[in-house]
Amino acid sequence: MLRAGTLALLAMVALPLARSMAAAPKGSFLQQQLQESSLRMDTALEHVEASAAGAEAWLAHTAGAQARRRGEFVTTLAAMVPLLIFIGASTWVYLKHKEMTNAGIKVKVGLKSAGCCCLFCIGFGSPLSLCFPIDEDVKDEVA
């Protein structure tokens, strides 16, 4: 970057000087050297402008790629949250059912089991509660 800036500064200073000295007698050695220098400076300035344009295009492309990667990460994270909730809810339902049956409590499909299954539709439950109910069967205790 320093080289490009130096060349641009040199071109801005040397070009007017070279063009003003071009008024030297035609065909003189000094005039030919000045014209060649002027052409080299013009070429160098064009290269500097082209590299600056290329750098800007590369930076814009890089920034766009980073934004896409951030968007993909957020999308992946948003897709993983309901899956993790489903796994957690299914594990809790299974362990609760197993705990109740091991304690000798009769279980049935009731309000808790149906609610857990219905919450699955919005991403917060598990349909496993229909296979492993988590409600106590109170009819047997009353009788």
Side-chain angles (χ1 to χ4, degrees):
M1 281 306 211
L2 181 62
R3 182 170 183 221
T6 305
L7 284 175
L9 181 62
L10 186 59
M12 289 189 304
V13 172
L15 280 177
L17 181 62
R19 289 188 179 137
S20 68
M21 293 181 72
K26 299 269 187 217
S28 73
F29 177 75
L30 181 60
Q31 184 182 20
Q32 289 174 356
Q33 291 298 319
L34 287 174
Q35 286 176 347
E36 289 175 12
S37 296
S38 175
L39 286 174
R40 277 190 240 126
M41 293 302 253
D42 285 338
T43 305
L45 188 57
E46 289 172 3
H47 286 301
V48 168
E49 290 172 351
S51 18
E56 287 175 4
W58 180 80
L59 285 174
H61 171 72
T62 303
Q66 288 175 346
R68 281 192 300 277
R69 274 188 249 126
R70 271 193 302 265
E72 290 171 0
F73 174 74
V74 170
T75 303
T76 303
L77 186 63
M80 294 299 290
V81 169
L83 179 65
L84 293 173
I85 291 173
F86 169 74
I87 291 170
S90 296
T91 303
W92 181 82
V93 165
Y94 175 75
L95 292 175
K96 183 72 172 171
H97 173 79
K98 189 174 179 182
E99 176 186 315
M100 291 173 77
T101 53
N102 286 343
I105 301 171
K106 293 212 178 223
V107 292
K108 68 172 186 163
V109 176
L111 190 60
K112 289 180 192 175
S113 301
C116 188
C117 184
C118 289
L119 285 175
F120 174 68
C121 295
I122 59 171
F124 291 108
S126 172
L128 204 59
S129 61
L130 298 177
C131 300
F132 298 100
I134 54 174
D135 294 295
E136 290 184 37
D137 191 7
V138 290
K139 285 191 282 184
D140 291 340
E141 292 178 8
V142 174

